[in-house]
Amino acid sequence: MSLVLIVMLPFIGAVLPALMIRTGRNACTIATASVTILAFALLMTHVPAVLRGEVVQVGWDWLPGLGLNANFFLDGLGLLFASLILGIGLLIIIYARFYLAKEDPMGTFFTYLLLFQGAMVGIVLSDNILMLLIFWELTSLSSFLLIGYWKHLPEGRQGARMALAVTGGGGLAMIAGALLLGQIVGSYDLSVILQHKELIQASPLYVPALLLILIGAFAKSAQFPLHFWLPHAMAAPTPVSAYLHSATMVKAGIFLLARLWPVLAGTEIWFYLVTTTGLITMVVAAYIALFKDDLKALLAYSTVSHLGLVTMLLGFGTPLAAVAAVFHIINHATFKAALFMSAGIVDHEVGSRDIKHLGGLVMLMPITATLATIAAASMAGIPLLNGFLSKEMMLEEAAHTVWAGQAWLIPLLATAGAMLSVAYSLRYITQVFFGPVREHYPSTPHDPPMGMWLPPAFLVGLVMLIGLFPQTFAGPLVAASAGAVIGGPLPDYYLSIWHGLTPALFMSAVALGLGIVILWRYTQVRAAWQKGPHPQAKALFDRTLTGAVAVSSALTYRLHNGSLQRYLAWFIGACVVIGYVTFWLSSHEAGNRAMLPAAPVAIVGWLLLIGGCAALMALHRDRLLALITVGVIGLIVSIGFVYLSAPDLALTQISVEVVTVVLLLLALNFLPKHTPAESMSVRKVRDGVLAVVAGLGVGAIAFAAMTRDFVTLSDFYLEQSLPGGGGTNVVNVILVDFRGFDTFGEIIVLGIAALAIFALLDGALRGEVGRKLDAWVSTEQRSMNRHPMMLVVATRVMLPLALLVGAYIFLRGHNVPGGGFIAGLVVAIALIMQYMASGFGWTAKRMRVDYHGMVGAGILIAAATGIGSWIAGHPFLTSAFEYFTWPLVGKFELASAIAFDTGVFLTVVGAVMLTLANLSRIGRRAQHQQINEQPMDVNPLENTKN
Amino acid sequence: MTFELPDFSLAAAELWLLTLGCALLMLAVFVSAQRHTLLYGLSQFTLAGALGWVWWSAPESRSLTFNHHYVADDLATLLKSAVLLLTAVSLIYTRSYLERRPHLPRAEFYVLILFAVLGMFIMISAHSLLTLYLGLELLALCLYALVALNREHPPALEAAMKFFVLGALASGLLLYGMSIVYGLTGTLELHTLAAHLSDPASLPDPGSLTHLAWGFALTFLLVGLAFKLGAVPFHAWVPDVYEGAMTPVTLFIGSVSKLAALALVLRLLIEGLGALAVDWQGMLMILAVLSLTLGNLAAIAQHNLKRMLAYSTIAHIGFVTLALFAATPAGYHAALFYILVYALTAAGAFGVLLALSGEHEAQTLDDLQGLNHHHPWLAFLMLVLMASMAGLPPLLGFYAKLIVLQALLDQGHLALALYAVIFSVIGAFYYLRVIKRMYFDTPTHAATPRPARDLTLALSLNGLLLIALGLLPGLLLALTHAVF
């Protein structure tokens, strides 16, 4: 259980600093430190067991369905890292207490720090690789908060974002890698995965899994070419740099490599990928570090370089190299954290981190100088310090490692790396603390308070102790953790200062000598360096970003320029492509139904239809002509209905055509007569091609359907029309009876449409449109005689006749062509003619019908008919009919459907007239006319007087 | 001709919504729009009541009614509850926004939202092609109107116009596909359809003419579905609508309506045509890959946050489509889980925008710049939301991606899983940019007024839920798992 507590303590404790900050900075620090101390103490209780080689495990199922279990385990490797994290964490907390200025919100800082600490401990103690990843990304997030802590520094922002982009992105890649590993093994538990080396390395998924995991690990550990984020993250407060970038976060990648070493290492691809990356990183970063003037940048690149060293060792894949790697992890953590803290002290007390402004500090701040010198000497690999021991082991391993048949390559480069390491380490000492004392420092240098130098002093103490007595102070830990990494018997090795005259010693001596030479001739070396190229990874990163944004912008502009036409083209184009692909992937032959002979009439109709459509295309800019062509097409369609023996449809079609054309004419009156040509020819071609292709597709489907026999529903209606609906006109019976519900819905839609037109026009007339219309001057030439007498007289005579025809069509509808809908249209046309011939005012005075009410009444009547059948105990709209014999007329059928049809009739008339009335209101407004009282412009009586 | 009275109690929530929606419509005619609290309260009451009805009427086992046109099952209960809760939350986010803008038609907004919810309910509970289409159109019509609601804002009108034209086209194609299905099987009901296809003899032989007909049917159906989901290349409306519509409407479209879109897919493609998975899988794969690619790449360049979220939606839809592509119960489960998580996260993200909208409508990255200075808590919530969208553990978004990837890997689709991961990494970039702007840039605007208390509370719950469920994802997983 205590394992879980070790992980959870920092998380739970993270609220403490936020709460305690009110009681003072010291209380806050003590609270934070006590959390860490408690966790550390708990960890220590497990030390004896782990050093004996036992593995402490605890866990329970969390999400078994996902393979995500809350399992923790502690072995040597976990112990090593957990102690580093918690131990150095404690030192950092003390250090930060004195480092942070009064105005810095310390509570927030410690909260973030504890969150980060918890996440790190979580990584190293997780037994489940998915849970490990969760903690992994948590470190990215919390480190983001820590790096960005100093909000007022612009580099801080850039650094934080880059750090998160690189490590967070790498983490996502690793998730995929971990999933693959789990897929291979069948479990996400590390303790299970680690047992299946052969299975994993034999799997075809091994290479992708390895690549993904390496991307994540290299990103986190700042390995080449993903190393560029680390130096930029240095804008963070120094305690953060010291903690994250020396001891913990950057080591998470290394930790993972070590953790999975037993199952992933040993293959050729592992060797070449990991060793090469580590080697390049080691040399390149050391080279860059040599010329950095910013103390923290120098340390940052040196960190990258040392991480490269460890990576390379792990890449070798031999047990001895693994031991060396583990040992170097310990050593690097101690001296690098001490160095960062000393750099922080210099920055804090002198006010600058720039080497060019420093120098001669040894007399001014002797304690700091001593500590920094010892730590840097350890980094340089000077004997008697711990850095020397692990470097020696590294060189020993490098000396006999062959890279692609080249035995000299790795030893040479390793020596070069060591040489550069010596040079920059010594430069750190000589150019900061030695040399002439400057006259002006940004602020007066002096040694810091004890709380600030004590933590690095403690670490430096460790550096020396391990350097002098490696077996005593580091031996057990190295043995335990190396054992965990190797996962088998430990190789034969012994930690001591003197190994005899080995190649490693020779290489080490060469490195030391050459390093001193470089420093001695630093001015010349630097001049040479200045001539060389300086690839800026950050610039590259920025350029990549700018490029990505540019590509993205271009893409967006191409696809989403806001043009609906383009969207439609994409849409239809995609449909056409998918449709044609589907077509070609299947067999497709025409049907074998016998073709009907083409009658001459049909051919003429077909040609007319095509001609009409073509004319519409050609004339569509001239709106009136276009309207006429549309009318022609409609007429041909009606003739088609007649030809196919559907007189009802033909009648309806003709009436609808007439009403539509009239209403459209009224509306077009207020619009320009011509549509301007706006489309470019490219677009026309594109749309034309799409139209042709889509049309061909639809035509092919129609052809395929019509060349096959099919069963039709018509027979049912034909048979049932008379017995079921009491009418012989099947179309009408379908409309008002079989599918009366449809019709009911349709008349409601019609009514709503009329109301919507009313609402739109009414609303528009009150607003800006109304003002525009008032100011509108028509350019059209108009006839003086607005209401020709011929027309007036004719319509007067026609009206009763038309109404009679309407009534006739309505009544006979159930058995022969006709019905409420057509009758409604006929009556509406007759009434429209009155308006057109005699003028609106005159007609409106005599037609005092509320069209709103008419629409409503129609729908209500239809609904009442439907509900009536409920009363009779039938479903909605069940029809009933009876036959009566009237005098004069004879046998007449009275069906409930007639009432329904009346509703339809009223709605149609009301809707059409409502639309018309509103359109004509616009007309009057535009022509600035008074409502005319007379049916004709010229009073005939006045004419006779003259 | 038999006539039986349907079991209305199963559809109690729909009837309740219909009744109260109509009541609100009538009320709006007689009550001044200034009485916002009344309209708002009544809408929330309707939603709460509907939730009660959903739970009350939830049957023990899957039940059909309305002549098998309507189904009540666990999926319906889950999705309807989610729709109601998210809608209620959206209304909380929206209240002060509407209050500050008296020129917006408020009553219409609430009525349309309620009817849109009704449409979604019908879609979710649809058990025939007919009901599916009915619900779909009811929802779509409400959405068109909602987008156009801000009549004085030309981009809104333009967006509504595009949405309508493209939407009508997509609906038409969907309907055409449905009619071919009907022609091939002679049934509209989903379970009869599934039963018809489950008979191996009736499965079309590859290469046969029936197969071609099925191919066309699936093509047209998928075009319609892809449009509703917003998958590439039928996504063109998404960015324009997200940007043009006022933020409350974007919030509604961007979060709640996605649930209904998934319901449509689950009902039609999985329940009805699951046996034809081999035939639709390929098309889904293309949609998914294109969506992931375009969504993530295009989002990088967006300065307008609503537009960025639009492209990110497309990318997320790519993920959902990938999960469906797996065509296994695990995949369907992953899709459901993903869409729920996404809806929750998107609601929060738009909620933050609404919280920041004073007189000025917050919608660009500049509006978020330096948010941490003015509203640290809002900035933190946005951080959580963005990180969850990016799929960073331990937030809920991570598990959503995780189970999708697992479902894919279980079926051996390694390349697709990798592709999805690569584009998640690219996607993480633009979410992180939002975080960076909030935390590390100095604000250019004066502080917006403190958001209303109920808004902050709901938003906090929304954000914290992502963390809480991220720590205990089992709770939500158990809910979604019970469905399949």
Side-chain angles (χ1 to χ4, degrees):
Chain A
M1 259 330 278
S2 72
L3 273 189
V4 185
L5 212 55
I6 295 173
V7 178
M8 295 317 293
L9 259 176
F11 285 112
I12 301 166
V15 291
L16 273 183
L19 297 175
M20 295 298 284
I21 190 66
R22 283 159 213 262
T23 57
R25 288 154 65 86
N26 284 331
C28 180
T29 313
I30 291 170
T32 316
S34 56
V35 171
T36 310
I37 291 173
L38 193 58
F40 194 71
L42 280 174
L43 182 71
M44 286 304 124
T45 60
H46 293 293
V47 168
V50 174
L51 290 189
R52 277 198 305 274
E54 291 172 23
V55 175
V56 188
Q57 271 181 310
V58 63
W60 59 91
D61 288 349
W62 183 17
L63 288 172
L66 292 184
L68 182 53
N69 299 323
N71 290 355
F72 295 94
F73 79 131
L74 181 70
D75 61 355
L77 190 66
L79 178 69
L80 166 65
F81 275 90
S83 340
L84 282 180
I85 293 158
L86 291 169
I88 296 185
L90 186 61
L91 297 177
I92 294 289
I93 291 168
I94 299 167
Y95 179 81
R97 156 66 188 85
F98 298 95
Y99 185 87
L100 292 181
K102 280 205 171 58
E103 59 270 19
D104 292 327
M106 186 189 265
T108 326
F109 179 80
F110 280 141
T111 300
Y112 293 161
L113 197 75
L114 281 181
L115 282 179
F116 174 78
Q117 198 177 63
M120 275 311 298
V121 177
I123 290 184
V124 298
L125 295 188
S126 292
D127 185 12
N128 188 286
I129 194 160
L130 292 178
M131 202 173 61
L132 188 154
L133 282 171
I134 293 175
F135 285 117
W136 180 279
E137 292 286 353
L138 255 186
T139 61
S140 297
L141 276 178
S142 51
S143 74
F144 178 62
L145 295 171
L146 277 172
I147 296 173
Y149 175 73
W150 274 357
K151 297 174 182 107
H152 46 272
L153 285 182
E155 320 97 81
R157 303 169 202 158
Q158 183 71 34
R161 176 181 167 196
M162 197 142 66
L164 191 55
V166 175
T167 57
L172 286 175
M174 229 170 69
I175 290 177
L179 281 176
L180 290 185
L181 264 192
Q183 196 70 28
I184 301 172
V185 179
S187 164
Y188 293 103
D189 284 347
L190 272 171
S191 41
V192 180
I193 291 176
L194 292 181
Q195 308 296 324
H196 289 91
K197 177 176 178 169
E198 286 76 21
L199 185 65
I200 290 172
Q201 299 200 347
S203 160
L205 296 179
Y206 169 70
V207 175
L210 178 68
L211 284 175
L212 288 166
I213 290 174
L214 286 184
I215 289 176
F218 286 167
K220 197 83 164 178
S221 285
Q223 295 298 293
F224 182 86
L226 300 171
H227 62 285
F228 54 87
W229 67 267
L230 184 58
H232 290 280
M234 289 298 155
T238 303
V240 174
S241 312
Y243 194 34
L244 269 62
H245 308 130
S246 72
T248 55
M249 193 176 82
V250 289
K251 293 234 169 79
I254 303 286
F255 167 78
L256 198 77
L257 291 184
R259 176 50 89 211
L260 294 174
W261 194 88
V263 286
L264 294 183
T267 57
E268 201 145 278
I269 179 163
W270 165 276
F271 172 76
Y272 282 111
L273 279 177
V274 180
T275 306
T276 315
T277 310
L279 195 62
I280 295 176
T281 313
M282 181 171 81
V283 178
V284 169
Y287 176 71
I288 300 174
L290 185 58
F291 302 105
K292 284 287 166 191
D293 288 330
D294 182 353
L295 285 186
K296 277 169 82 178
L298 189 156
L299 290 179
Y301 277 108
S302 82
T303 306
V304 174
S305 167
H306 280 269
L307 292 173
L309 189 159
V310 177
T311 306
M312 180 184 77
L313 282 173
L314 289 171
F316 287 166
T318 60
L320 259 178
V323 175
V326 168
F327 191 34
H328 195 70
I329 290 171
I330 301 176
N331 297 335
H332 176 252
T334 49
F335 67 68
K336 190 51 66 63
L339 277 172
F340 264 114
M341 289 193 211
S342 69
I345 293 174
V346 170
D347 187 17
H348 201 258
E349 307 302 342
V350 185
S352 172
R353 298 197 313 240
D354 194 336
I355 289 183
K356 282 186 290 216
H357 301 144
L358 298 169
L361 291 175
V362 64
M363 300 315 286
L364 298 168
M365 34 200 321
I367 302 175
T368 316
T370 316
L371 295 177
T373 306
I374 298 173
S378 175
M379 178 158 79
I382 309 287
L384 301 187
L385 297 170
N386 61 359
F388 168 72
L389 299 173
S390 45
K391 193 176 73 178
E392 205 67 349
M393 288 169 80
M394 178 276 283
L395 292 173
E396 180 69 42
E397 281 305 300
H400 55 74
T401 305
V402 180
W403 194 90
Q406 309 298 320
W408 53 272
L409 189 78
I410 289 184
L412 185 74
L413 286 176
T415 313
M419 171 191 82
L420 291 167
S421 176
V422 169
Y424 66 67
S425 304
L426 295 182
R427 178 168 174 248
Y428 182 86
I429 301 171
T430 54
Q431 300 194 357
V432 174
F433 295 103
F434 296 95
V437 177
R438 286 173 191 271
E439 287 179 12
H440 295 291
Y441 293 103
S443 57
T444 324
H446 58 85
D447 266 323
M450 195 172 77
M452 232 165 136
W453 62 255
L454 210 53
F458 178 78
L459 289 171
V460 168
L462 275 182
V463 165
M464 295 199 292
L465 285 175
I466 297 176
L468 291 172
F469 314 105
Q471 193 53 43
T472 323
F473 284 93
L477 191 57
V478 169
S481 49
V485 172
I486 297 164
L490 281 177
D492 202 13
Y493 75 96
Y494 54 103
L495 303 176
S496 69
I497 303 171
W498 181 250
H499 286 265
L501 286 169
T502 55
L505 192 65
F506 169 69
M507 287 155 73
S508 203
V510 169
L512 192 62
L514 285 178
I516 292 172
V517 170
I518 290 178
L519 200 65
W520 176 41
R521 291 279 172 203
Y522 186 70
T523 337
Q524 285 93 324
V525 174
R526 195 172 171 103
W529 166 77
Q530 228 131 26
K531 284 185 202 131
H534 303 111
Q536 274 287 325
K538 181 181 172 301
L540 206 67
F541 182 76
D542 288 344
R543 260 212 300 284
T544 318
L545 287 196
T546 329
V549 171
V551 168
S552 170
S553 297
L555 187 74
T556 323
Y557 181 73
R558 299 223 155 221
L559 294 176
H560 285 121
N561 61 346
S563 153
L564 179 61
Q565 283 88 341
R566 185 167 297 189
Y567 297 173
L568 280 170
W570 273 107
F571 197 114
I572 295 173
C575 294
V576 165
V577 169
I578 304 176
Y580 274 79
V581 169
T582 319
F583 182 70
W584 287 118
L585 288 184
S586 289
S587 74
H588 35 77
E589 68 260 19
N592 46 11
R593 192 170 188 241
M595 298 275 190
L596 293 175
V601 184
I603 291 174
V604 171
W606 182 68
L607 286 176
L608 276 175
L609 199 58
I610 289 182
C613 291
L616 179 61
M617 288 262 293
L619 300 172
H620 79 278
R621 294 201 191 291
D622 195 327
R623 291 178 177 175
L624 282 178
L625 278 179
L627 190 61
I628 292 170
T629 351
V630 168
V632 170
I633 295 171
L635 280 177
I636 301 167
V637 172
S638 343
I639 293 171
F641 286 140
V642 173
Y643 177 71
L644 295 171
S645 323
D648 277 272
L649 288 184
L651 264 178
T652 316
Q653 178 76 33
I654 288 180
S655 328
V656 168
E657 276 307 320
V658 172
V659 173
T660 322
V661 169
V662 169
L663 291 182
L664 274 175
L665 267 177
L666 284 171
L668 280 183
N669 196 19
F670 308 109
L671 296 173
K673 300 288 170 281
H674 296 277
T675 312
E678 281 170 347
S679 308
M680 294 195 311
S681 50
V682 179
R683 182 191 273 182
K684 281 185 199 156
V685 170
R686 176 195 75 191
D687 292 351
V689 169
L690 276 177
V692 168
V693 178
L696 279 178
V698 173
I701 292 177
F703 182 73
M706 285 190 294
T707 48
R708 289 176 172 78
D709 289 319
F710 55 88
V711 188
T712 151
L713 271 177
S714 313
D715 294 338
F716 169 81
Y717 292 115
L718 287 172
E719 278 167 22
Q720 293 295 321
S721 175
L722 192 58
T728 47
N729 177 7
V730 183
V731 175
N732 186 265
V733 172
I734 289 176
L735 279 179
V736 299
D737 189 335
F738 289 136
R739 296 172 60 183
F741 204 63
D742 275 7
T743 315
F744 183 57
E746 274 161 25
I747 59 170
I748 292 178
V749 170
L750 193 62
I752 291 176
L755 286 179
I757 292 173
F758 171 74
L760 276 176
L761 293 181
D762 196 53
L765 280 180
R766 286 191 203 141
E768 203 183 337
V769 180
R771 285 192 292 281
K772 264 190 191 163
L773 274 179
D774 287 338
W776 194 52
V777 182
S778 172
T779 51
E780 294 287 310
Q781 285 281 325
R782 285 178 192 280
S783 155
M784 284 304 291
N785 191 0
R786 287 200 300 151
H787 303 295
M789 198 193 297
M790 287 283 285
L791 193 58
V792 174
V793 175
T795 50
R796 299 276 166 82
V797 178
M798 289 293 288
L799 182 64
L801 282 174
L803 291 180
L804 196 65
V805 169
Y808 173 67
I809 288 180
F810 175 77
L811 285 177
R812 67 179 220 146
H814 216 47
N815 293 314
V816 276
F821 191 78
I822 305 170
L825 286 173
V826 168
V827 169
I829 292 168
L831 294 176
I832 289 177
M833 289 310 289
Q834 298 300 312
Y835 280 98
M836 287 174 69
S838 305
F840 187 84
W842 185 88
T843 321
K845 259 182 132 180
R846 285 151 184 83
M847 279 274 301
R848 294 192 186 153
V849 183
D850 177 14
Y851 299 122
H852 291 87
M854 205 181 219
V855 173
I859 293 173
L860 280 180
I861 291 174
T865 321
I867 292 171
S869 36
W870 272 352
I871 298 168
H874 294 289
F876 190 70
L877 270 178
T878 310
S879 78
F881 54 90
E882 200 57 64
Y883 294 96
F884 299 96
T885 310
W886 283 13
L888 290 177
V889 181
K891 186 178 163 196
F892 184 78
E893 178 225 358
L894 198 62
S896 67
I898 286 221
F900 185 74
D901 229 5
T902 315
V904 175
F905 171 82
L906 286 177
T907 313
V908 170
V909 176
V912 173
M913 298 311 288
L914 190 59
T915 314
L916 173 82
N918 281 290
L919 281 173
S920 100
R921 269 175 64 196
I922 296 188
R924 287 201 314 279
R925 187 84 171 261
Q927 289 161 23
H928 319 295
Q929 295 165 349
Q930 297 301 313
I931 292 179
N932 52 339
E933 298 295 323
Q934 298 297 327
M936 298 159 213
D937 294 329
V938 189
N939 190 337
L941 294 177
E942 281 173 22
N943 279 348
T944 35
K945 264 183 219 159
N946 297 337
Chain B
M1 186 92 186
T2 53
F3 177 67
E4 57 179 295
L5 208 60
D7 182 1
F8 286 106
S9 68
L10 285 175
E14 279 85 351
L15 296 173
W16 164 267
L17 273 174
L18 178 65
T19 317
L20 280 245
C22 291
L24 193 65
L25 187 62
M26 291 312 288
L27 186 75
V29 177
F30 300 108
V31 170
S32 148
Q34 299 308 312
R35 302 193 57 187
H36 183 207
T37 318
L38 176 72
L39 297 169
Y40 171 76
L42 199 62
S43 311
Q44 289 287 27
F45 171 71
T46 310
L47 293 174
L51 191 63
W53 285 116
V54 166
W55 287 342
W56 175 81
S57 65
E60 291 284 311
S61 60
R62 177 187 168 84
S63 316
L64 302 176
T65 180
F66 293 114
N67 293 318
H68 297 180
H69 283 299
Y70 180 100
V71 62
D73 57 3
D74 290 343
L75 177 68
T77 313
L78 176 70
L79 278 177
K80 283 177 186 173
S81 312
V83 163
L84 286 172
L85 288 173
L86 279 172
T87 312
V89 168
S90 316
L91 291 188
I92 295 176
Y93 292 162
T94 309
R95 191 180 57 87
S96 51
Y97 179 95
L98 288 180
E99 222 138 65
R100 286 205 189 89
R101 290 165 177 73
H103 64 275
L104 288 178
R106 293 166 179 171
E108 284 85 343
F109 175 78
Y110 289 118
V111 170
L112 283 169
I113 291 276
L114 288 185
F115 280 121
V117 170
L118 177 62
M120 292 188 211
F121 270 41
I122 297 177
M123 271 165 90
I124 291 169
S125 263
H127 195 250
S128 77
L129 301 180
L130 212 58
T131 8
L132 264 182
Y133 188 72
L134 190 71
L136 181 73
E137 281 303 280
L138 181 53
L139 171 65
L141 284 174
C142 292
L143 292 185
Y144 303 146
L146 277 171
V147 173
L149 205 57
N150 190 0
R151 279 194 294 184
E152 280 149 42
H153 187 54
L157 300 181
E158 187 185 325
M161 186 68 197
K162 289 175 188 167
F163 191 19
F164 176 72
V165 172
L166 292 169
L169 191 63
S171 285
L173 291 174
L174 184 72
L175 208 53
Y176 189 36
M178 286 178 172
S179 72
I180 301 180
V181 170
Y182 177 72
L184 285 165
T185 60
T187 180
L188 288 171
E189 286 164 35
L190 294 181
H191 75 270
T192 330
L193 192 60
H196 178 88
L197 287 171
S198 67
D199 175 12
S202 64
L203 272 183
D205 297 325
S208 70
L209 274 171
T210 336
H211 189 253
L212 177 62
W214 272 113
F216 278 130
L218 286 176
T219 303
F220 290 120
L221 288 178
L222 271 174
V223 169
L225 296 183
F227 175 84
K228 294 296 163 191
L229 282 170
V232 180
F234 306 103
H235 65 291
W237 60 278
V238 181
D240 287 11
V241 166
Y242 273 47
E243 189 184 356
M246 54 182 190
T247 314
V249 176
T250 315
L251 158 64
F252 191 71
I253 296 179
S255 73
V256 189
S257 82
K258 299 292 169 217
L259 298 175
L262 185 77
L264 177 69
V265 180
L266 287 180
R267 292 286 183 211
L268 184 58
L269 222 51
I270 316 299
E271 254 185 71
L273 304 171
L276 293 175
V278 190
D279 294 299
W280 48 254
Q281 263 179 318
M283 303 190 208
L284 278 189
M285 188 186 76
I286 295 170
L287 291 176
V289 169
L290 288 178
S291 302
L292 276 174
T293 316
L294 185 86
N296 280 315
L297 288 184
I300 295 174
Q302 304 311 318
H303 183 67
N304 185 309
L305 205 64
K306 280 158 84 178
R307 216 175 160 83
M308 187 203 100
L309 285 172
Y311 284 109
S312 100
T313 307
I314 296 175
H316 286 290
I317 286 300
F319 245 97
V320 173
T321 323
L322 268 188
L324 293 169
F325 157 79
T328 55
Y332 307 147
H333 171 237
L336 179 65
F337 186 80
Y338 199 103
I339 210 91
L340 282 172
V341 172
Y342 176 73
L344 188 67
T345 321
F350 288 112
V352 171
L353 284 187
L354 283 173
L356 293 176
S357 293
E359 302 303 319
H360 162 77
E361 185 149 346
Q363 54 176 332
T364 63
L365 281 174
D366 291 338
D367 295 318
L368 284 181
Q369 186 151 326
L371 185 61
N372 192 32
H373 281 258
H374 297 318
H375 302 289
W377 180 240
L378 279 183
F380 173 73
L381 290 174
M382 193 67 171
L383 169 105
V384 170
L385 292 162
M386 288 293 121
S388 176
M389 279 209 188
L392 295 185
L395 300 167
L396 199 48
F398 163 71
Y399 300 95
K401 287 204 164 56
L402 182 68
I403 58 174
V404 172
L405 293 179
Q406 280 189 343
L408 282 176
L409 286 177
D410 279 343
Q411 293 299 302
H413 302 300
L414 175 66
L416 276 176
L418 288 185
Y419 195 78
V421 167
I422 290 169
F423 276 90
S424 301
V425 174
I426 294 176
F429 167 75
Y430 52 85
Y431 297 120
L432 295 181
R433 185 176 54 187
V434 176
I435 300 178
K436 179 236 168 199
R437 292 291 283 265
M438 291 190 305
Y439 274 85
F440 300 112
D441 289 0
T442 36
T444 49
H445 300 282
T448 50
R450 276 177 71 86
R453 201 167 297 162
D454 53 343
L455 199 168
T456 314
L457 186 69
L459 206 54
S460 310
L461 278 177
N462 194 334
L464 295 179
L465 202 59
L466 291 177
I467 301 180
L469 285 177
L471 294 175
L472 301 165
L475 298 177
L476 189 58
L477 278 170
L479 273 182
T480 50
H481 216 82
V483 170
F484 291 101

